[in-house]
Amino acid sequence: MAGLAALLMACCMAAMHIAVAAGLAAAGPVRIWTVMSAGGLLLVYGLIRSGVSKRWADPSLTLAQIVYAIACNAVAYSIGGQARGIALPILAVILMFGMFGLSTRQMLGVMLYALAAFAVAIMAVELRGEPGHSPALSAAYGIMTAVVLLGSTFLTTRLQATRELLRRQKHELARALDHIRDLATHDELTGLLNRRHMLELMRLEQRRVARSGHQLTIALLDLDHFKAVNDTHGHAAGDRVLRAFAQAARQCVREADVLSRWGGEEFVLMLCNTPPEAARALLERLREAVARLQVAAQAPDAPPSASAEAPPAPLRITVSIGFTLHIPGEKIEDTLERADQALYAAKEGGRNRTAGRLKAPGGPAAQ
């Protein structure tokens, strides 16, 4: 932008010197004006190129460049002689730069500043009383200056409003996309990953394990007697149990582990780069943490029942866990099936326990 501004200013300098060559303006003031204009451009270029301007709130120096350019433009009007009319379209071009870097308040300030600068320039022309000068022409120039400033400022403020609207819409769209993505990959009740996304992650991890040779353990977790909770205390209590379990499980697993809600009261835990012995220890800690949970049978904000003498006792829940080691080369569905068999063994063994079903390649299953 600074380079484009410098190019436009160079064109303005060339136009002024053409006016001098044609005898429409005095050479001395135009030369001094050229030196001052070029000096301002070089100063801005040096500040931006050296990186000094990065320390300031406006590193592109947009406002400073516009203020200085308007001052140069007003001076060009006052010394332009019979060619001073070329200053007006240049003023419109200067204001266009504010469309991309200035706020509405700044643009209004620039407009008032430009009106004042050109009022001083027009008065200076009137006081000098140049030969052949017409006050009516100065009045016409003053009116056109006001028209250019008001029109450019109005268009700039409209553009700023449009940009702000687009920015808000973009932000709202990004939030909506994040929400949609979250709904597509997470369970709304517990906040855990849903079944579809978990399957995708397990297949990705399956391919990574095939390349790296790391161990991958898959665990199926099922809340014991969950149907009885829903039947006795209602689905709202069941939802509180699911949320409490998800929170307790998240606190027990590591950051690298992935927990998902598989369906109903069943959950899947993927333990990456974890041998079965370490997996069993982690799952035991999780099982014990769940057994210590106490979940309110009644919502905290629910009105007390008239027939109940005391609030119902908190709910105690337990979880049964089956886990297995993924064998490189097998389908992830086969690993899940083996984990499900281990979970069935935990249920058959009395619930609230952890069972593993391990299988060496080509060998018998072992519990």
Side-chain angles (χ1 to χ4, degrees), residues 117-366:
F118 271 84
V120 171
I122 292 172
M123 290 176 60
V125 172
E126 290 296 317
L127 292 175
R128 283 202 308 269
E130 298 176 357
H133 172 69
S134 169
L137 186 59
S138 290
Y141 280 148
I143 292 173
M144 290 307 300
T145 301
V147 169
V148 168
L149 289 171
L150 291 171
S152 300
T153 303
F154 173 75
L155 293 176
T156 300
T157 54
R158 286 297 302 273
L159 178 61
Q160 291 284 358
T162 302
R163 290 178 63 196
E164 178 61 22
L165 176 61
L166 291 175
R167 188 194 65 80
R168 288 199 306 267
Q169 290 178 341
K170 180 181 178 181
H171 179 68
E172 292 171 359
L173 179 60
R175 289 180 57 188
L177 288 174
D178 287 341
H179 182 61
I180 292 172
R181 188 181 298 112
D182 189 68
L183 290 176
T185 58
H186 288 74
D187 173 59
E188 188 174 4
L189 178 64
T190 62
L192 301 177
L193 297 182
N194 61 22
R195 182 181 185 127
R196 181 176 61 184
H197 191 54
M198 185 62 166
L199 268 173
E200 293 175 0
L201 293 182
M202 285 193 293
R203 291 191 176 110
L204 287 174
E205 187 64 19
Q206 174 192 17
R207 291 193 288 270
R208 191 184 71 84
V209 166
R211 293 192 304 268
S212 64
H214 292 158
Q215 292 182 310
L216 171 64
T217 300
I218 301 295
L220 277 171
L221 304 87
D222 189 85
L223 298 184
D224 298 325
H225 306 296
F226 181 75
K227 185 176 183 301
V229 174
N230 280 335
D231 294 342
T232 305
H233 302 281
H235 289 279
D239 290 346
R240 287 193 295 275
V241 166
L242 292 172
R243 285 193 293 265
F245 168 80
Q247 182 178 1
R250 274 194 294 252
Q251 293 173 353
C252 292
V253 301
R254 304 160 303 182
E255 290 187 5
D257 303 328
V258 185
L259 179 65
S260 72
R261 187 181 180 190
W262 200 242
E265 70 274 21
E266 196 171 46
F267 300 81
V268 168
L269 177 60
M270 180 169 65
L271 302 168
C272 304
N273 195 20
T274 306
E277 298 78 12
R280 182 184 290 275
L282 185 149
L283 294 171
E284 274 296 302
R285 289 195 302 271
L286 189 156
R287 183 188 62 79
E288 293 170 358
V290 172
R292 291 192 296 268
L293 284 177
Q294 297 188 31
V295 183
Q298 185 176 341
D301 55 351
S305 175
S307 60
E309 299 180 356
L315 301 176
R316 307 296 296 266
I317 60 173
T318 59
V319 62
S320 298
I321 305 173
F323 70 96
T324 190
L325 182 66
H326 172 71
I327 300 172
E330 74 173 352
K331 296 181 179 179
I332 201 67
E333 288 80 4
D334 295 337
T335 307
L336 287 168
E337 176 64 25
R338 200 161 54 252
D340 189 59
Q341 294 171 6
L343 175 62
Y344 181 78
K347 293 281 189 181
E348 286 292 304
R351 304 179 189 272
N352 189 23
R353 63 185 60 215
T354 302
R357 184 173 291 273
L358 311 179
K359 178 184 177 183

Side-chain angles (χ1 to χ4, degrees), residues 44-60:
V44 169
Y45 176 82
L47 291 173
I48 293 176
R49 191 67 177 175
S50 64
V52 173
S53 65
K54 290 182 179 179
R55 308 171 189 171
W56 301 331
D58 180 18
S60 63

